[in-house]
Amino acid sequence: MTEISATEAKNKFGQVLEMAQAGPVRIQKNGRDVVVMLSAEQYAALQEQSTAPRVNPLIVKLHGESIKRWGKVYEALAK
């Protein structure tokens, strides 16, 4: 991740926009992180991930095993 000071980001804003297209840009003020600039595409991907339902991988595994073992029963009950 590219790092840049807030002053430098202000003075070179157009370049920072181009840098953010390639990857996140960390902007620091007084030596501490203040902002991370992302491309619109990267931001949309993060938004999509945060709204996707999260399922515990163990639950997914157990569900798959249950379908293998009891699949015929489930089909019969669904009729």
Side-chain angles (χ1 to χ4, degrees):
M1 182 181 313
T2 306
E3 294 180 5
I4 191 169
S5 72
T7 302
E8 199 174 357
K10 179 182 76 169
N11 293 335
K12 300 178 179 180
F13 188 69
Q15 289 176 326
V16 175
L17 288 175
E18 290 178 15
M19 291 165 53
Q21 294 300 310
V25 178
R26 180 182 300 148
I27 300 174
Q28 298 179 332
K29 187 170 185 176
N30 298 324
R32 62 184 184 89
D33 295 340
V34 178
V35 171
V36 174
M37 185 181 290
L38 303 170
S39 69
E41 184 179 281
Q42 292 168 332
Y43 179 74
L46 284 175
Q47 286 296 102
E48 189 175 304
Q49 286 177 1
S50 69
T51 59
R54 297 178 188 189
V55 178
N56 184 326
L58 180 58
I59 298 298
V60 174
K61 179 184 174 197
L62 291 172
H63 180 258
E65 291 173 2
S66 176
I67 295 293
K68 284 181 187 174
R69 184 172 182 179
W70 299 102
K72 291 182 181 179
V73 173
Y74 296 151
E75 289 175 15
L77 290 172
K79 291 183 181 180

